[in-house]
Amino acid sequence: MSRASDLVDATLAKVPSGVDADVRASVGNLALTRFANGFIHQNVAEDSETLSLRVAVDGRVALATTTNTSTDGLDALVDSAIAAARLSPVDPDWPGPAPAAAVPGIEHFDPATADASPRERAERVRSFVDAGAGLLAAGYCETSGGEIVFANTAGQRAEGRSSQAILDGIHQTPTSAGSGHAAGASLASLDAGAVGSLAARRARESADPFDLKPGEYEVVLAPECVATIAVFMAFYGFNAKMHLEGRSFAEIGETQFDERFSIWDDVTDDRAMGVPFDAEGTPKRKVEFVSDGTTVGLAHDRRTARKAGTESTGHYGPGSESYGPFPTNVFVGGGDRSVDDLIAEVDRGLYVATFNYCRVLDPKSLSVTGLTRNGTFMIENGRITGAVTNLRFTQSFVAALAPGRVLGVGTDGRFADSEFGAGFIHAPSMRLAGWNFTGGASG
Amino acid sequence: MFEYAQAAVEGALAAGATYADARVVHAREERIDVQNDTVQALDRTEQAGVGVRALYGSSWGFFATPELTSRRARRAGERAAEIAKASALVPGPPLEFADVPLVDATYETPFQEDPFTVGLSDKVDLLLEVNRIVGAVDGIAIAQSGMTFWDTDKWFVSSQGHRIHQHLVESGGGFDATAVGEREIQRRSYPQSFGQFETGGYEVVRRWDFLGNAQRIAEEAAALLSADEMDERETALILESSQLALQIHESVGHAIELDRILGWEAAFAGTSHLELSRLGTHRYGSDLMNITADATLPGALGTFGYDDEGTAAQRVDIVKDGIWVGVLSGRDTAAIAGLPPGGMVRADGYNRLPMVRMTNVGLLPGDSSLEEIIADTKDGVYMATNRSWSIDDKRLNFQFGCEIAWEVKDGKLGRMLKNPTYTGITPQFWATLDRLAGEDEWVFWGTPNCGKGQPMQVAHTGHPASPARFSQVRVGVRA
């Protein structure tokens, strides 16, 4: 028996009969080595044990979470959750605990990554920094690993291990920056030198940028930009709670997007990360959101599934009662073009490496404002001809991917950093017919 | 609890650290979230553990564990020192620590009503009643309300001799009304987006009178669906104080963080347009602009006794008569810049590294009033309550969206306008500040969700502000 399993069993044993309970234990570690100005300036690690208990007493629901996993801590956890539930009104939407169901037999776990030493992370940092001789490097190398065990009073039990490694950084010149990024379940799979070389090349090529007049430009977006588009679509659109409340742009069965655009969630993909069940214990399964331009599905948890008269897709997470179910193994469909091909097909436009600080103006149209960062390049007659200063955009992400607007999709899909973080959006480069830039360096 | 912090420090020193400090933290949080007539979330969280920071040569290491025993705490100190030694594989320049007085002290947030002893049903009943009033207004599809309370004990020990216990209590909440149209969503929030939070007890919730404002807020949200769109143009912009608070947070607060200015946040949050060589001479805004970072303001969300390096809370001038004169700093960043340490280093829990964070970064009040400012405006717009915020990695190019606006014509509020936005460049924008309301309308707005750092840390910051006018701003930008 593992530590997480022991904690779950000990907690469940303390729950009085007649009370519905979900218990979830997460035991693991997180380490992050951060560098700036070319040296490691912050280097942290933690061991963690977190225990969550959701109870329903006669339909009255409460959640309690603790890091105190002593016997007294477990007693306090159970007492706190039940006391809170008893004082709460009946929850008419409480779906009950998940029934027993088999979990996909897949594990995205590399023991060497979970046990990676600070020296191993520092060596990756060294490689990244050295790839940009004469440049100023900043970024981080993160490793994590652990086990999650779930059990409830309805007989469902799920156990899984996962690991994650991320290397993300920039190189800087006095007038520019360029970024590189890699993520996977295994630290050994990350080529720190290659990531650093890409960042260094982008930094050098984007030096001495000029101000471009704002307006609509054709764009080639690198995977980081596409990942940000995808994460906003996932959170604001393919989230069944948003959809049930009329706040989502998604219209099931409608061809809302270009036929070149497909997006889905699939923890069973060999490339994915995380465990194959959600925090309600529901097994995750592949869910298509957009297939060849047509919106076909949504992410559900048990609460939204009950309201919509369907089944949970396994996308409940902490906070989903408030924010809705959220996919965490998102894939954007790849295409048949190299990045050079995508650029070669543009007469006049921009190549954008990353987006920055994106915020939603209107969720229904997914109108978003944000900026370009870490490499924005002018494309003329199929070639990159220079670098431009960062631009502000105000753009409906839905309209940008509308029928006829996706002109090409890359073969370079990979895990890319997004506005909401790294490690859960796999995306390729993409060429779009237009992007509405509304401001530049001078406003 | 001091013994665990002490054991962690001793472990780090025994493993070769030249300096170490440790915090034992015990934190409780209660969050209630009610949508329409359903309690969506009733969450109670308890977090406890020890985090220790070790310096080896010029390199830092940090390790945290939730296991509070002397043996595990000492081992955490040893691990921190081991990590610091690994950091030395990619070393930085020699590191100094600015001197601060060694203190053996305690601090407690003043509060009247312990929010954790107020009956849960009292809190839930209040939120349900707010939602009932909001939901009864025609056109409102979603009524949402919530409260969050934090109770945090921290025991800090350093190898230099600090020994500090603090008990911090923070409370707040709010509600919003959402109207869903055919192709749009409109929302109004009270007291501000995400609610209002302060240091103090349940009296904070009582003071903001949710019930007395529910009807008005709901009616405004419903009316926005049929309001006119704002035209894109340059005009005078009057900002309600909570929106101005966020403007201060984004375009001043983050820009003056010394770690950002030094490049330590370059890859993630970004750097700053400010250059240390221009401290004392750079014009940040008009003569009306006076900004302080004051961690001693009673009731403000960024108020405490000592920061997480053991430096006493203090008030620091940031912008004086429009000139940039100060920064947010800690002991190491201050030493690099040759400035006195500002006591502004805080961590999000026992398991996060202390870093430079805003305290209460606010705009000192002027001598006017919102009523006078509107009366004195021939042509402009008045915007209230933040809806979206975005700013570039040097804190220069920003664009904000607000929930609601009214046109101002010949000294009077006119039509309601929906989807208002404004955009600008930080120093040019602040240079147009020409009217500022006074102390009667000066509110200590709280921001409970300031993100920074990797792993991400969420800080609670305060931003005193009163309504203000900016003479020439680009408004009405849309997709």
Side-chain angles (χ1 to χ4, degrees):
Chain A
M1 294 286 278
S2 68
R3 171 71 177 160
S5 193
D6 289 345
L7 287 173
V8 165
D9 291 340
T11 306
L12 213 47
K14 293 177 184 292
V15 174
S17 62
V19 172
D20 290 338
D22 289 343
V23 186
R24 183 175 180 269
S26 174
V27 176
N29 63 70
L30 168 70
L32 192 146
T33 300
R34 205 169 182 217
F35 56 103
N37 297 329
F39 65 90
I40 294 173
H41 68 310
Q42 295 171 358
N43 203 349
V44 304
E46 64 171 311
D47 288 339
S48 64
E49 290 190 355
T50 305
L51 194 56
S52 295
L53 171 65
R54 183 170 69 168
V55 298
V57 183
D58 300 326
R60 303 166 192 273
V61 181
L63 172 72
T65 303
T66 188
T67 60
N68 181 354
T69 54
S70 65
T71 302
D72 288 348
L74 267 54
D75 286 337
L77 177 78
V78 174
D79 291 348
S80 175
I82 290 177
R86 289 193 198 285
L87 291 168
S88 180
V90 171
D91 179 353
D93 299 326
W94 166 241
V103 170
I106 189 164
E107 189 173 73
H108 306 293
F109 181 71
D110 173 44
T113 299
D115 294 335
S117 69
R119 186 177 184 92
E120 288 174 280
R121 287 184 297 278
E123 286 167 350
R124 267 65 178 191
V125 170
R126 178 86 270 163
S127 297
F128 183 99
V129 172
D130 288 349
L135 304 176
L136 210 49
Y140 73 98
C141 179
E142 174 186 318
T143 57
S144 62
E147 181 180 29
I148 295 174
V149 174
F150 174 93
N152 66 20
T153 49
Q156 172 64 340
R157 187 178 188 92
E159 302 184 1
R161 296 184 300 175
S162 67
S163 60
Q164 183 166 281
I166 302 168
L167 180 67
D168 182 279
I170 61 172
H171 279 291
Q172 302 159 91
T173 77
T175 60
S176 66
S179 59
H181 179 89
S186 161
L187 179 63
S189 69
L190 310 188
D191 185 340
V195 174
S197 294
L198 173 62
R201 180 168 62 79
R202 281 176 168 169
R204 291 193 174 100
E205 291 178 354
S206 60
D208 302 319
F210 63 89
D211 291 349
L212 185 69
K213 187 180 176 188
E216 186 177 35
Y217 289 87
E218 188 173 321
V219 289
V220 175
L221 302 178
E224 264 64 39
C225 301
V226 177
T228 290
I229 293 172
V231 82
F232 275 79
M233 295 180 81
F235 185 81
Y236 291 98
F238 308 131
N239 169 336
K241 184 172 191 289
M242 294 282 190
H243 191 261
L244 285 164
E245 293 170 356
R247 294 197 260 191
S248 164
F249 60 80
E251 296 175 20
I252 305 297
E254 296 296 315
T255 302
Q256 294 182 275
F257 303 100
D258 192 277
E259 63 183 6
R260 290 186 175 92
F261 182 67
S262 294
I263 181 170
W264 63 91
D265 187 83
D266 187 10
V267 75
T268 66
D269 189 303
D270 286 341
R271 301 165 293 181
M273 286 177 267
V275 295
F277 55 91
D278 71 3
E280 290 182 317
T282 304
K284 287 178 181 278
R285 56 183 170 84
K286 181 175 180 179
V287 184
E288 290 192 278
F289 302 129
V290 176
S291 179
D292 300 330
T294 300
T295 303
V296 294
L298 301 169
H300 279 282
D301 56 22
R302 291 183 54 74
R303 189 174 287 262
T304 63
R306 181 172 183 262
K307 282 187 175 178
T310 185
E311 290 187 354
S312 171
T313 56
H315 289 99
Y316 171 88
S320 280
E321 291 90 349
S322 302
Y323 308 111
F326 182 60
T328 54
N329 302 101
V330 176
F331 290 81
V332 177
D336 58 0
R337 295 285 198 275
S338 70
V339 177
D340 288 344
D341 290 341
L342 294 172
I343 291 170
E345 290 160 1
V346 176
D347 287 336
R348 188 166 191 273
L350 293 167
Y351 174 80
V352 183
T354 61
F355 287 157
N356 181 44
Y357 220 129
C358 296
R359 292 294 183 273
V360 170
L361 301 177
D362 175 43
K364 193 101 175 177
S365 61
L366 206 56
S367 176
V368 175
T369 188
L371 298 121
T372 66
R373 186 179 180 187
N374 296 334
T376 309
F377 301 92
M378 192 76 214
I379 305 171
E380 292 172 298
N381 301 317
R383 291 177 47 246
I384 285 178
T385 55
V388 301
T389 50
N390 290 332
L391 292 159
R392 172 171 294 287
F393 62 81
T394 308
Q395 171 69 52
S396 160
F397 285 180
V398 176
L401 301 173
R405 304 296 286 175
V406 180
L407 305 180
V409 181
T411 56
D412 58 341
R414 60 172 169 80
F415 280 103
D417 201 2
S418 76
E419 182 75 34
F420 289 12
F424 61 99
I425 309 281
H426 193 279
S429 295
M430 198 173 277
R431 177 184 163 216
L432 302 179
W435 198 261
N436 190 29
F437 293 99
T438 51
S442 57
Chain B
M1 293 293 186
F2 276 122
E3 67 266 30
Y4 304 127
Q6 187 65 41
V9 166
E10 288 170 3
L13 296 177
T18 53
Y19 169 85
D21 57 34
R23 282 170 301 115
V24 172
V25 179
H26 178 241
R28 289 184 296 150
E29 176 182 336
E30 180 179 271
R31 184 176 76 91
I32 308 166
D33 178 15
V34 180
Q35 181 171 314
N36 298 330
D37 59 357
T38 302
V39 177
Q40 288 192 140
L42 206 171
D43 299 351
R44 290 175 164 180
T45 303
E46 181 178 12
Q47 193 191 55
V50 58
V52 53
R53 190 170 67 148
L55 183 65
Y56 178 80
S58 63
S59 298
W60 284 108
F62 175 86
F63 191 82
T65 177
E67 239 182 290
L68 283 175
T69 64
S70 293
R71 187 180 65 81
R72 295 296 298 178
R74 184 178 176 87
R75 179 66 188 132
E78 293 166 356
R79 295 279 299 273
E82 290 163 11
I83 292 170
K85 290 174 184 173
S87 300
L89 287 175
V90 191
L95 188 144
E96 290 181 34
F97 234 35
D99 284 338
V100 295
L102 301 180
V103 290
D104 187 337
T106 60
Y107 171 86
E108 182 171 46
T109 301
F111 64 91
Q112 296 166 16
E113 203 172 357
D114 183 348
F116 288 82
T117 62
V118 173
L120 196 53
S121 50
D122 290 348
K123 299 167 188 169
V124 170
D125 287 349
L126 171 61
L127 298 176
L128 286 169
E129 179 61 9
V130 167
N131 286 7
R132 189 193 63 74
I133 296 170
V134 169
V137 172
D138 277 351
I140 298 301
I142 303 164
Q144 190 101 29
S145 57
M147 299 178 194
T148 307
F149 307 98
W150 295 273
D151 184 297
T152 306
D153 278 289
K154 298 197 271 192
W155 295 265
F156 175 81
V157 166
S158 82
S159 60
Q160 292 179 325
H162 290 91
R163 191 178 166 91
I164 299 167
H165 172 237
Q166 296 191 83
H167 177 216
L168 306 178
V169 179
E170 302 155 293
S171 302
F175 66 90
D176 56 70
T178 299
V180 179
E182 183 66 22
R183 291 275 160 201
E184 65 177 315
I185 293 166
Q186 296 296 338
R187 188 189 71 193
R188 285 290 286 131
S189 308
Y190 180 86
Q192 63 165 337
S193 298
F194 305 110
Q196 166 65 352
F197 298 88
E198 302 174 15
T199 51
Y202 195 71
E203 66 274 9
V204 174
V205 171
R206 296 193 194 281
R207 186 178 343 111
W208 279 95
D209 187 15
F210 294 178
L211 290 174
N213 287 277
Q215 181 83 17
R216 172 180 64 85
I217 288 293
E219 288 173 354
E220 287 179 355
L224 279 167
L225 286 178
S226 54
D228 293 332
E229 290 270 0
M230 176 177 286
D231 293 332
E232 183 170 354
R233 63 183 178 128
E234 288 200 358
T235 191
L237 171 64
I238 302 168
L239 290 180
E240 169 268 346
S241 62
S242 74
Q243 172 56 34
L244 184 58
L246 191 64
Q247 176 77 50
I248 295 164
H249 178 101
E250 300 293 354
S251 68
V252 181
H254 280 303
I256 58 170
E257 291 165 343
L258 188 48
D259 53 351
R260 291 180 69 117
I261 294 171
L262 294 173
W264 293 8
E265 291 291 321
F268 182 51
T271 57
S272 173
H273 63 281
L274 298 170
E275 296 172 10
L276 272 179
S277 60
R278 300 186 64 197
L279 184 66
T281 59
H282 173 70
R283 178 158 283 281
Y284 215 114
S286 75
D287 288 347
L288 276 181
M289 186 182 189
N290 287 286
I291 301 259
T292 60
D294 189 348
T296 69
L297 286 174
L301 190 61
T303 294
F304 48 84
Y306 297 87
D307 78 352
D308 289 336
E309 287 186 321
T311 307
Q314 55 196 277
R315 170 180 157 146
V316 174
D317 285 330
I318 300 296
V319 177
K320 205 163 187 177
D321 301 328
I323 303 298
W324 175 44
V325 296
V327 298
L328 306 179
S329 66
R331 296 183 66 185
D332 50 1
T333 52
I336 292 169
L339 298 167
M344 292 126 170
V345 168
R346 290 189 289 158
D348 178 11
Y350 75 90
N351 57 344
R352 291 292 175 264
L353 180 75
M355 60 194 307
V356 174
R357 304 308 303 250
M358 288 177 232
T359 55
N360 299 303
V361 179
L363 181 63
L364 298 184
D367 58 5
S368 187
S369 69
L370 178 60
E371 190 178 357
E372 286 176 4
I373 293 170
I374 291 170
D376 188 38
T377 302
K378 185 169 176 52
D379 181 28
V381 290
Y382 171 53
M383 293 191 197
T385 318
N386 183 263
R387 187 172 179 182
S388 70
W389 65 101
S390 173
I391 189 164
D392 73 11
D393 57 337
K394 291 188 182 301
R395 300 283 146 176
L396 274 173
N397 179 325
F398 62 79
Q399 180 169 315
F400 289 97
C402 289
E403 290 182 350
I404 194 167
W406 290 267
E407 68 179 2
V408 180
K409 286 283 185 196
D410 299 322
K412 291 189 170 59
L413 288 182
R415 288 180 304 155
M416 179 186 287
L417 301 170
K418 67 182 173 186
N419 303 329
T421 60
Y422 68 96
T423 189
I425 301 295
T426 293
Q428 287 93 314
F429 173 80
W430 283 103
T432 68
L433 171 65
D434 68 351
R435 295 296 299 270
L436 188 52
E439 198 156 356
D440 289 350
E441 296 172 85
W442 199 44
V443 178
F444 296 176
W445 293 106
T447 300
N449 56 350
C450 175
K452 184 180 175 183
Q454 293 167 309
M456 172 64 78
Q457 299 194 39
V458 177
H460 299 176
T461 65
H463 305 289
S466 56
R469 187 177 73 182
F470 299 82
S471 60
Q472 196 74 5
V473 180
R474 185 180 168 204
V475 304
V477 181
R478 66 172 69 96

